[in-house]
Amino acid sequence: MGMRPPAGLPSLSRRSRLLLVGAVVLAALLLVGPRLVDTYTNWLWFGEVDFRGVYLTVLLTRIAVFAIIALVVGAIVWLALLLAYRSRPVFIPTSGAGDPIARYRATVLGKLKLFGLGIPVLLGVLSGLVAQSNWVTVQLFLHGGSFGRTDPQFGLDVGFYAFDLPFYRMVLNWLFVAIVIAFFANLVTHYIFGGLRLTGREGVLTTPARVQLAVIAGLFVLLKAIAYWFDRYQLLMSNRKEPTFNGGSFTDINAVLPAKLILMSIAIICALAFFAGIVLRDLRVPAMAAALLVLSSVLVGAVWPLMVEQFSVRPNAAEKESEYIERNIDATRHAYGITDDKIEYIDYKGESSKNPVNVPVDHATIANARLLDPNILSPTFTQLRQLKNFYGFPDTLDIDRYSLNGQIQDYIVAARELSPATLSGNQTDWINKHTVYTHGNGFVAAPANRVNRPQSEDPNAGGSSDSGYPIFLVSDLFTPKDQQRIPVDQPRIYYGELISQSDPDYAIVGTKEGQTPREYDTDQARFTYDGTGGVPIGNWFNRLAFAAKYAERNILFSSAISEDSKILYNRSPRDRVQKVAPWLTTDGNAYPAVVDGRIKWIVDAYTTLDNYPYAQTTSLDGAVEDSVDQRTGRLLPRKEVSYIRNSVKATVDAYDGAVELYETDPGDPVLQAWRGVFPDAVTPESEISPELREHFRYPEDLFKVQREMLTKYHVDDPREFFTNNAFWSVPADPTVEGVSASQPPYYVLLGDPESGKPVFNLTSAMVGYNRQFLSSYISVRSDPDGYGKFRILQLPTDTQTQGPQQTQNTMTTAPQVSQEKTLLSNSNKIRYGNLLTLPVADGGILYVEPFYNERNTGQNTATFPQLLRVLVSYRDQAGSVKVGYGSTLADALNQVLPGSGALATPSGGDPAIRPSPGAAPPPAAPDEPQDQGAAGNGGTPPTAGTGSATQAAAAAELDRKIEEVRTAMRTGNFEEFGQALDELEAAVKAYQDAGR
């Protein structure tokens, strides 16, 4: 006789229920409340920047994906529970008083709707919350088009792999999830209600339970068969076997691909076997089908490809993989925009017998040789042009070019931003921090190829106390408009890079009409923001929302906020662009430019894919990281890509925060897909003003990714590609001690081979694979004319032109350099600037490196970097490496290429005018021997008491000057030390002349 099941779980008291309900409501508020606040404030913010359509589209897509996945998963699970419950046995036997299932059965029966609906709803909601993040996949599927390129294996358009295949796989994955959950839900329900009993040797499974479980398992296997079909296409993005290249390898195409078709056929047969369980009472047929599927997956899907790889491919890899490497090369070049129509390869000797004086194109290159390093000079800008403690400049400055007086010139540029991190004392009070110190002031530029004057030009001035510094052009509130060389109509900066480093970064601006302005503008004036940016915060509802957002009660109660006030937030230019265009990947560096009289931040943005067939996959953070990123700790994009295009240039107005997205690559299929999703988000290329276009630079992050690809994908021959013999490497940065990181690319003005005019380029030296000799020189144009065109100088493999690391070692160990460095390092910090590689003399390579120092005063207070000397290195036709070292570029050049110093731009003077290199330079003497003792690489340092009487006298004088430098260094007298250095340099020169 069956026993009466025990009572259900004990009920809760009324008080306990109230406490439980209260806890649930409080948890819901804590969980949902902040999201509701963020949703509302985001709605206001997107309305401010006029991108509310983007926000709505993304939000509605997320909601739609959430609802569909939640409904599908929930419905499938609910159906599995319903069928199991309705087909339960009429009489449910029990196993006695200790039956553990009876207690749960009674609980479920007592709350049938809660369990029957609650479980599917909960699982559906959780699935929907996870799935809504796939909104990008859904929108690309709905709006994706054709690439006009087909893959070499299946003949399908690349658009299928980029837009369609990810969607199909997403659908399959969620069906797998739903079926697996449904199987276990059905199984557990049958177990609770007696359809499945584990008593006895074999247990008992009722017919409805057997039929339902067999159907669900059959559906799972059928889905697996469909997945095998799509797995074939996924092989073209494979990287599981061959580390040299991505895409389908010989094994993938000739072993794994047939295996997928075999496994698909077996899966279909196994699915039919499971469906046969509907009419067959014998479960051995489905069990055998499952065993067959597992065994075939191991043998056909794993063992067979492994055997082909080990016994067929490995012994003949170069031959077997040749066709597939060729596919990989072609696809990678297209995916990363490094095809032959964009790149010009030029054979380059690496040495020359000519002098740049006699090569017209070199006049522009040498005249614009950059001496100011934007990665070093931020402290100098801060000390000399900060003005107030709450202003500041980024750790890394930027380079841009301006045409003043009809001459193009590259400048180190920076916006004098508000720096909340440097506020101190009462400045950090909430009122002052958020309503008084609200904006920066001005645009600062300095010509990149000169300083105010060289350190040896005025020995009576103490040598260096006021020399070796940038020549500033400033456009701010303190400079009258008619005196600004780069005119700015509105120099106030409310949006900037430094502001974003403050947490939170909001400012509250605007006062009621008639009230006294409160924002700091100058020591004599206050200001009230009148721009279009900002979200109104005058009404109490908005004040409450932002008080909750920032957890700040002052927003509610401060009298500084009036009915006309606005709140400015999300003030980082890069973050603003990323927020209004979440489908783009933004470049790590935004730079300021004066366009039509306004300061605008320019941000490069990329369209990317991670599933381009046969293209090499790369990690953005690994490809773009260099020595500057390691030093500054810049956040790098954590993303794997196999396709990238700089299809969008964005601008952010520094005053009102207005964001504009400009199309720059109309032929990009990914951008066209996104334009279908957000029709009004991107402005057509035709609307880019000429003045704005002049300030577009080729983006650094994209260039770093492309040069990383070019280390291998400049090779055409698949067999040579497989051996790695012709590969290049990105050189390590030799100017940074203690850090092993890639040398960053450098923006420089190079002479155009056709016109001879200076052209703004982004450049990088490349060395041999795991070697240090120079192999190539990559440059890409940034000027509107020819923008994005690569020019690659390839050096012969049998020459040994020094690379950056070898050149740095040669220059710093030259006797004069080493001697002065030793003297300086005792009381100064030596800083090496960017080591520029410049192609000159129709085949030669000239290295130029500024040499900075930071001196310590008597109070041991470190000063800011100033240019002390210039290093150059050049290898002549005879193979001799010459080193020049002087207080000016002209001095250093004349030591390695006599007469070429006349081409260098003189220091000082009007920074808006670049003087002509000289109408009649001294006669060139390319074969004149270099004094290796003074500036060479391996000469003997000067010593007293040798040679002629004149030389002996000069050597004695040199010894005296060395002692004077040491004495000045010990006393800590700043001016005497600088003067002693200059006199030492004159003594060294006199000794060199005496030895000739």
Side-chain angles (χ1 to χ4, degrees):
M1 185 177 70
M3 298 181 62
R4 181 180 179 183
L9 296 174
S11 60
L12 298 174
S13 65
R14 180 180 179 83
R15 180 181 179 184
S16 298
R17 290 179 180 176
L18 291 175
L19 290 175
L20 181 61
V21 170
V24 171
V25 171
L26 180 61
L29 288 175
L30 293 175
L31 182 65
V32 179
R35 287 166 173 77
L36 292 177
V37 170
D38 283 342
T39 300
Y40 178 67
T41 55
N42 283 335
W43 172 265
L44 295 175
W45 185 84
F46 275 94
E48 170 211 342
V49 294
D50 199 25
F51 278 86
R52 191 166 281 170
V54 171
Y55 181 67
L56 277 176
T57 300
V58 174
L59 181 62
L60 293 177
T61 305
R62 288 179 180 271
I63 292 174
V65 173
F66 165 83
I68 292 173
I69 297 300
L71 183 63
V72 170
V73 173
I76 291 175
V77 174
W78 173 79
L79 184 61
L81 290 173
L82 178 66
L83 292 175
Y85 175 74
R86 289 196 171 182
S87 60
R88 68 191 185 280
V90 178
F91 298 101
I92 305 175
T94 61
S95 57
D99 185 1
I101 303 302
R103 186 180 187 89
Y104 296 106
R105 186 185 305 126
T107 302
V108 171
L109 288 173
K111 303 182 184 301
L112 198 57
K113 289 185 178 180
L114 176 63
F115 285 96
L117 295 177
I119 291 177
V121 168
L122 177 62
L123 293 173
V125 168
L126 292 176
S127 299
L129 289 174
V130 175
Q132 55 86 28
S133 62
N134 294 321
W135 70 273
V136 170
T137 301
V138 173
Q139 286 291 9
L140 285 179
F141 171 75
L142 295 176
H143 296 90
S146 170
F147 272 67
R149 286 175 56 90
T150 57
D151 78 87
Q153 182 62 39
F154 300 106
L156 298 175
D157 189 89
V158 173
F160 168 79
Y161 300 91
F163 307 131
D164 300 340
L165 185 59
F167 177 79
Y168 297 145
R169 295 188 66 86
M170 183 197 77
V171 172
L172 271 175
N173 288 337
W174 282 112
L175 288 176
F176 273 123
V177 169
I179 292 298
V180 169
I181 295 176
F183 180 85
F184 286 104
N186 186 272
L187 181 70
V188 171
T189 303
H190 279 299
Y191 179 63
I192 290 177
F193 288 99
L196 169 64
R197 296 191 299 277
L198 302 179
T199 56
R201 179 177 299 179
E202 299 180 355
V204 177
L205 186 65
T206 64
T207 299
R210 173 175 51 81
V211 170
Q212 292 169 22
L213 292 174
V215 169
I216 296 174
L219 289 174
F220 177 86
V221 178
L222 190 59
L223 286 175
K224 188 64 179 174
I226 299 174
Y228 281 133
W229 176 263
F230 286 110
D231 285 347
R232 300 179 312 130
Y233 304 119
Q234 199 67 32
L235 289 175
L236 303 194
M237 281 77 76
S238 170
N239 62 353
R240 70 183 184 89
K241 287 185 177 297
E242 181 52 63
T244 306
F245 65 96
N246 277 36
S249 63
F250 180 92
T251 302
D252 290 322
I253 301 303
N254 294 279
V256 180
L257 180 57
K260 295 293 183 182
L261 292 174
I262 295 172
L263 290 173
M264 181 186 69
S265 302
I266 294 174
I268 293 175
I269 296 172
C270 293
L272 295 176
F274 275 103
F275 292 142
I278 298 174
V279 295
L280 298 177
R281 292 181 176 272
D282 193 349
L283 293 179
R284 287 178 294 180
V285 174
M288 291 174 61
L292 174 62
L293 184 61
V294 173
L295 182 62
S296 60
S297 298
V298 174
L299 294 179
V300 179
V303 175
W304 167 244
L306 182 61
M307 293 178 63
V308 172
E309 179 73 17
Q310 293 298 324
F311 298 107
S312 178
V313 177
R314 292 294 182 189
N316 311 283
E319 178 184 351
K320 295 284 188 181
E321 302 290 9
S322 179
E323 176 186 356
Y324 307 101
I325 292 176
E326 191 171 358
R327 294 179 179 183
N328 172 253
I329 292 173
D330 179 67
T332 301
R333 288 177 176 178
H334 182 267
Y336 290 93
I338 50 176
T339 48
D340 290 341
D341 61 317
K342 297 181 179 179
I343 298 178
E344 179 186 10
Y345 291 93
I346 300 172
D347 291 333
Y348 201 74
K349 293 178 293 184
E351 58 188 25
S352 176
S353 60
K354 297 181 181 180
N355 191 301
V357 174
N358 302 320
V359 183
V361 70
D362 292 342
H363 294 199
T365 299
I366 293 179
N368 290 282
R370 181 157 55 81
L371 301 179
L372 300 185
D373 186 347
N375 302 317
I376 288 180
L377 288 176
S378 178
T380 303
F381 270 57
T382 300
Q383 291 292 336
L384 298 179
R385 286 297 179 266
Q386 182 185 27
L387 300 185
K388 298 291 182 180
N389 74 293
F390 45 83
Y391 292 144
F393 297 96
D395 291 336
T396 300
L397 307 178
D398 293 295
I399 300 177
D400 198 3
R401 69 283 195 202
Y402 289 84
S403 182
L404 304 182
N405 299 324
Q407 293 181 326
I408 192 73
Q409 170 73 64
D410 55 344
Y411 291 83
I412 308 298
V413 298
R416 186 194 288 132
E417 300 181 48
L418 176 72
S419 177
T422 60
L423 295 174
S424 62
N426 196 47
Q427 293 174 335
T428 60
D429 179 78
W430 184 87
I431 287 289
N432 289 330
K433 184 175 181 179
H434 294 288
T435 68
V436 176
Y437 301 113
T438 59
H439 59 275
N441 175 17
F443 179 81
V444 181
N449 64 339
R450 70 177 77 177
V451 292
N452 54 359
R453 57 179 172 175
Q455 299 221 8
S456 61
E457 284 184 356
D458 186 7
N460 296 323
S464 60
S465 60
D466 61 348
S467 59
Y469 294 122
I471 306 170
F472 294 101
L473 301 179
V474 182
S475 302
D476 57 13
L477 293 172
F478 310 105
T479 307
K481 181 73 176 296
D482 58 356
Q483 297 179 19
Q484 296 178 5
R485 308 305 290 269
I486 303 177
V488 174
D489 298 326
Q490 178 52 269
R492 299 177 180 89
I493 300 169
Y494 282 84
Y495 298 85
E497 295 178 296
L498 292 182
I499 300 174
S500 65
Q501 298 174 10
S502 172
D503 186 23
D505 68 345
Y506 65 89
I508 298 176
V509 297
T511 59
K512 187 182 297 184
E513 186 176 353
Q515 286 186 343
T516 303
R518 76 169 49 246
E519 300 177 54
Y520 177 87
D521 219 24
T522 69
D523 288 342
Q524 293 77 34
R526 296 295 182 268
F527 180 71
T528 297
Y529 180 76
D530 58 1
T532 58
V535 172
I537 199 175
N539 64 75
W540 282 100
F541 188 80
N542 284 3
R543 292 177 72 165
L544 180 63
F546 285 101
K549 177 181 178 67
Y550 294 112
E552 180 54 68
R553 65 177 182 273
N554 286 318
I555 295 178
L556 277 177
F557 303 115
S558 175
S559 60
I561 303 176
S562 70
E563 58 188 21
D564 296 323
S565 294
K566 293 180 177 181
I567 184 169
L568 313 180
Y569 58 108
N570 295 334
R571 294 200 283 168
S572 163
R574 183 173 177 269
D575 292 345
R576 287 177 80 82
V577 173
Q578 189 68 76
K579 199 172 181 68
V580 303
W583 70 91
L584 296 173
T585 300
T586 54
D587 192 271
N589 181 35
Y591 61 98
V594 177
V595 181
D596 297 324
R598 297 184 71 90
I599 301 174
K600 292 182 180 291
W601 295 95
I602 300 178
V603 183
D604 289 286
Y606 312 113
T607 54
T608 62
L609 294 173
D610 57 3
N611 49 359
Y612 193 101
Y614 272 107
Q616 193 73 14
T617 299
T618 187
S619 172
L620 286 185
D621 57 331
V624 306
E625 185 178 30
D626 57 31
S627 61
V628 177
D629 299 321
Q630 287 195 2
R631 180 176 61 83
T632 61
R634 177 171 73 100
L635 294 178
L636 302 173
R638 305 284 180 181
K639 194 171 187 178
E640 295 276 341
V641 302
S642 61
Y643 174 95
I644 186 169
R645 287 289 188 277
N646 178 214
S647 299
V648 173
K649 301 275 190 180
T651 63
V652 178
D653 193 286
Y655 181 67
D656 60 27
V659 180
E660 291 286 345
L661 306 178
Y662 293 99
E663 176 188 52
T664 55
D665 188 357
D668 178 18
V670 182
L671 177 62
Q672 295 312 309
W674 285 119
R675 294 200 68 177
V677 180
F678 308 106
D680 302 322
V682 181
T683 303
E685 186 178 22
S686 59
E687 296 188 25
I688 300 175
S689 69
E691 186 173 359
L692 174 59
R693 190 181 293 274
E694 288 176 358
H695 292 284
F696 284 167
R697 307 184 315 186
Y698 200 83
E700 286 185 77
D701 284 356
L702 175 61
F703 181 80
K704 292 175 188 177
V705 172
Q706 290 174 321
R707 77 172 176 179
E708 187 68 32
M709 291 296 107
L710 283 169
T711 58
K712 297 193 297 183
Y713 290 94
H714 68 279
V715 178
D716 293 316
D717 185 359
R719 294 176 182 271
E720 192 174 23
F721 186 98
F722 186 81
T723 62
N724 300 350
N725 182 53
F727 286 178
W728 300 332
S729 296
V730 178
D733 189 351
T735 66
V736 181
E737 298 179 357
V739 175
S740 178
S742 298
Q743 184 183 44
Y746 297 125
Y747 289 103
V748 295
L749 283 170
L750 298 177
D752 182 33
E754 297 180 2
S755 66
K757 297 180 180 179
V759 176
F760 198 54
N761 283 266
L762 182 57
T763 66
S764 177
M766 305 293 284
V767 295
Y769 185 62
N770 291 333
R771 302 182 73 218
Q772 294 187 5
F773 290 107
L774 193 68
S775 290
S776 65
Y777 180 75
I778 303 175
S779 63
V780 60
R781 293 174 70 114
S782 286
D783 284 352
D785 183 20
Y787 178 90
K789 293 294 184 180
F790 282 81
R791 189 168 180 262
I792 300 181
L793 307 180
Q794 297 187 104
L795 278 69
T797 56
D798 58 349
T799 61
Q800 294 189 339
T801 302
Q802 289 190 343
Q805 291 171 296
Q806 294 170 319
T807 299
Q808 177 75 7
N809 183 65
T810 298
M811 292 193 301
T812 56
T813 56
Q816 184 181 0
V817 181
S818 178
Q819 185 179 59
E820 188 164 345
K821 178 184 175 183
T822 301
L823 293 173
L824 287 170
S825 59
N826 292 326
S827 59
N828 296 265
K829 181 179 181 181
I830 303 302
R831 302 284 298 273
Y832 294 108
N834 35 219
L835 178 59
L836 301 181
T837 307
L838 304 176
V840 297
D842 192 23
I845 295 293
L846 176 68
Y847 288 98
V848 177
E849 181 178 58
F851 183 92
Y852 297 88
N853 76 319
E854 294 182 29
R855 298 188 176 181
N856 293 331
T857 65
Q859 291 74 32
N860 294 323
T861 302
T863 61
F864 38 94
Q866 60 183 150
L867 181 67
L868 179 67
R869 299 287 185 263
V870 180
L871 287 159
V872 300
S873 175
Y874 185 78
R875 179 174 182 260
D876 60 21
Q877 192 176 22
S880 174
V881 178
K882 300 179 179 181
V883 174
Y885 181 65
S887 57
T888 65
L889 177 60
D891 290 342
L893 282 173
N894 284 329
Q895 296 173 31
V896 299
L897 290 165
S900 63
L903 301 176
T905 299
S907 299
D910 188 340
I913 300 176
R914 186 181 66 255
S916 172
D927 297 326
E928 182 176 340
Q930 173 69 22
D931 185 350
Q932 297 297 317
N937 57 339
T940 304
T943 51
T946 62
S948 66
T950 304
Q951 188 176 9
E957 178 67 12
L958 180 58
D959 286 340
R960 285 195 295 272
K961 295 305 178 184
I962 292 174
E963 187 58 32
E964 288 179 9
V965 170
R966 290 172 176 166
T967 302
M969 187 168 55
R970 286 193 296 269
T971 60
N973 188 303
F974 185 88
E975 293 187 358
E976 287 182 5
F977 180 68
Q979 185 173 353
L981 280 178
D982 292 329
E983 293 177 355
L984 174 62
E985 182 178 357
V988 170
K989 192 173 186 299
Y991 178 83
Q992 294 172 353
D993 294 339
R996 289 192 171 94

